[in-house]
Amino acid sequence: MNNTQVNAIQNNAYKIASRPAVTYSGAQQNELLGALPRDVLESLFEHLELIQLPFGQELFEFGSAMEYVHFPTTAIVSLLYVMEDGATTEIAVVGHEGVVGVSLFEGERAMCSAVVQAAGYGYRMKAQHLRDAFAKGGALPALLMRYNTALFAQMAQNAVGGRHSSIEQKLCRWLLDRLDRSPSNALKVTQEMISIMLGVRRESITAAAGKLQDDGLITYRRGNITVLDRSGLEAYAGECYKVAKTEFDRLRVDVARC
């Protein structure tokens, strides 16, 4: 063994030793990982890596190979469709309830982009390791397939809502989606970001946010939105939010039974 090989082994060992330890309680902060039987989850520990996910980080872009799978814990990730002219629309959002970047076939390419929208933490593992675990059968494939159903429901409702809902309804649904994945009722977000995510003019978001504030549902100040009346937001959003929320609630019931 030459010096180059020895150094490579030592460097790899150092990287592994310097990683934050993956613990059972820590991994359970992601609902999908937490639903796995303990022995199955612990079998993934050697492949899981706890990482920081800063705001704006692109986990993958449209057409790229998805090298890693991410299980957010406190971070929130937007799945975006980007047009040739650069226009962007959010098609789904993922937080501690789900997973980002699952590719069950080697060489599979991303059909959208994934960008961290709220900074936090999460676990990642190489896509190949997940494929290997998936091939063994058991609880993991069942959970991933069930989650995909809920995610598809969210995408379908976003598509329908984008065509038939008012700006106010779209904004309410967007805020509620974040609340479901956030530890508090306060969100750090600009009107510019919301307009990009929803694919509408900033002026439209300003007017819609102003109406919601006048109705006592939210307060907005310098890039911070605080929700004052969640039930009011849900009523305003109507079917635009309830269909996907119902499917995710069913997912959580199924997950609890695992």
Side-chain angles (χ1 to χ4, degrees):
M1 184 179 296
N2 58 41
N3 289 336
T4 300
Q5 292 173 317
V6 171
N7 289 336
I9 292 173
Q10 291 176 337
N11 288 337
N12 187 54
Y14 173 77
K15 289 179 181 178
I16 293 174
S18 63
R19 291 178 182 173
V22 177
T23 64
Y24 183 68
S25 60
Q28 284 186 309
Q29 292 181 54
N30 177 274
E31 293 179 28
L32 288 186
L33 292 178
L36 292 172
R38 182 161 188 154
D39 61 325
V40 176
L41 177 54
E42 290 182 344
S43 72
L44 300 177
F45 279 7
E46 64 177 308
H47 305 304
L48 287 172
E49 179 185 2
L50 177 62
I51 61 170
Q52 189 171 6
L53 296 171
F55 169 76
Q57 179 179 344
E58 186 174 64
L59 304 183
F60 55 80
E61 63 178 352
F62 174 79
S64 66
M66 293 181 286
E67 182 181 359
Y68 288 97
V69 179
H70 291 81
F71 296 88
T73 54
T74 57
I76 298 176
V77 180
S78 288
L79 302 184
L80 308 172
Y81 189 82
V82 183
M83 305 291 288
E84 289 185 0
D85 62 0
T88 302
T89 300
E90 183 179 81
I91 58 176
V93 61
V94 181
H96 54 72
E97 84 294 343
V99 58
V100 180
V102 174
S103 57
L104 298 182
F105 304 99
E106 190 172 356
E108 188 174 346
R109 299 288 172 173
M111 298 302 294
C112 64
S113 297
V115 178
V116 178
Q117 190 178 91
Y121 289 85
Y123 291 89
R124 75 174 184 179
M125 66 185 300
K126 288 191 174 181
Q128 184 58 55
H129 292 319
L130 184 67
R131 286 193 288 268
D132 293 341
F134 189 95
K136 295 178 182 178
L140 180 60
L143 282 174
L144 291 179
M145 296 300 288
R146 185 64 187 85
Y147 175 72
N148 265 356
T149 299
L151 187 64
F152 179 79
Q154 183 188 165
M155 292 179 176
Q157 191 57 38
N158 284 348
V160 173
R163 181 174 177 84
H164 299 288
S165 301
S166 67
I167 297 296
E168 289 82 4
Q169 287 176 312
K170 294 177 185 177
L171 177 57
C172 287
R173 186 211 72 223
W174 194 91
L175 293 173
L176 288 166
D177 282 343
R178 270 78 197 157
L179 282 185
D180 289 341
R181 296 160 176 86
S182 300
S184 73
N185 63 342
L187 304 171
K188 288 186 176 296
V189 60
T190 64
Q191 293 184 5
E192 178 70 23
M193 177 186 291
I194 298 174
S195 69
I196 292 173
M197 295 295 102
L198 293 181
V200 299
R201 294 184 305 116
R202 179 178 176 179
E203 292 79 6
S204 298
I205 296 300
T206 300
K211 188 176 191 313
L212 296 181
Q213 184 163 251
D214 291 343
D215 290 343
L217 302 181
I218 67 171
T219 60
Y220 178 78
R221 186 177 296 107
R222 294 182 181 179
N224 291 277
I225 293 179
T226 301
V227 175
L228 304 177
D229 184 355
R230 182 190 173 106
S231 61
L233 279 186
E234 290 184 8
Y236 212 125
E239 187 178 354
C240 186
Y241 168 73
K242 290 179 181 177
V243 172
K245 178 65 163 59
T246 298
E247 191 59 37
F248 273 106
D249 287 343
R250 289 175 182 166
L251 168 66
R252 287 187 168 96
V253 171
D254 291 346
V255 162
R257 291 173 178 165
C258 292

